Amino acid sequence: DLAAADPGGASARVTAADGEAGTLSGVLITLYDRYDNVVDNADYSRNLNVGIDGPVLLETPTLISVAKARANDSYVAAYTPAIAGEYAVRVSLLGVASLDRPKLTVVAGTAVASATTAAGAGLRTANAGAPVSVCVYPADAYGNRRVRELQAGAGLVVTYGGQTTNGAAFEIP
């Protein structure tokens, strides 16, 4: 049992999985008593504070919800990240911080046309019959750049004037 008077005897082990912007993600937290036994005799979800530090700060209870998982006596801190980047998870129980601070990576979500941008001289001027250069920057709904598509046009599909291409370069007749 975790006594509020002696939270120092308890510990939390945190498992964090990488996520994708705009997708519900979770961090698994398991509580142990001073003898390294899993604590399963009460619901301590209200005594857990979870923060995810990175490009933006996510905190309980506003951006992260914590609930006890019935199947394995652990807790799940659920959150939906919007900004891609590297994050560190921090957990405290009854005001005592856990030593576990796992890292997680949030990648950009699926590219959408409304957030994708283009740049280059070919957008401003062009001469008939001469090649032009345009760079397309795919991004997800939150504005995160899709780096994978930027690498040699991998997965990038461009349609213009009825012509569709997969890749980084194409000609428009």
Side-chain angles (χ1 to χ4, degrees), residues 111 116 135-138 148-150 152-158 164-169:
T116 297
C135 293
V136 178
Y137 301 101
R148 287 172 286 199
E149 279 85 355
L150 294 176
L156 181 62
V157 177
V158 178
T164 300
T165 185
N166 292 317

Side-chain angles (χ1 to χ4, degrees), residues 9 41 96 153:
N41 59 350
V96 177

Side-chain angles (χ1 to χ4, degrees), residues 90-104:
R90 62 186 155 72
V91 174
S92 65
L93 172 64
L94 298 168
V96 177
S98 168
L99 297 178
D100 274 358
R101 285 198 48 118
K103 306 266 188 243
L104 62 90

Side-chain angles (χ1 to χ4, degrees), residues 4 10 14-15 26 31 37 41 56 62 86 89-90 94 100 112 122 139 141 144-145 148 150 152 171:
V14 184
T15 305
L31 302 179
N37 298 307
N41 59 350
V56 294
T62 54
E86 300 292 321
V89 179
R90 62 186 155 72
L94 298 168
D100 274 358
V112 296
N144 298 301
R145 291 259 172 100
R148 287 172 286 199
L150 294 176
E171 289 184 23

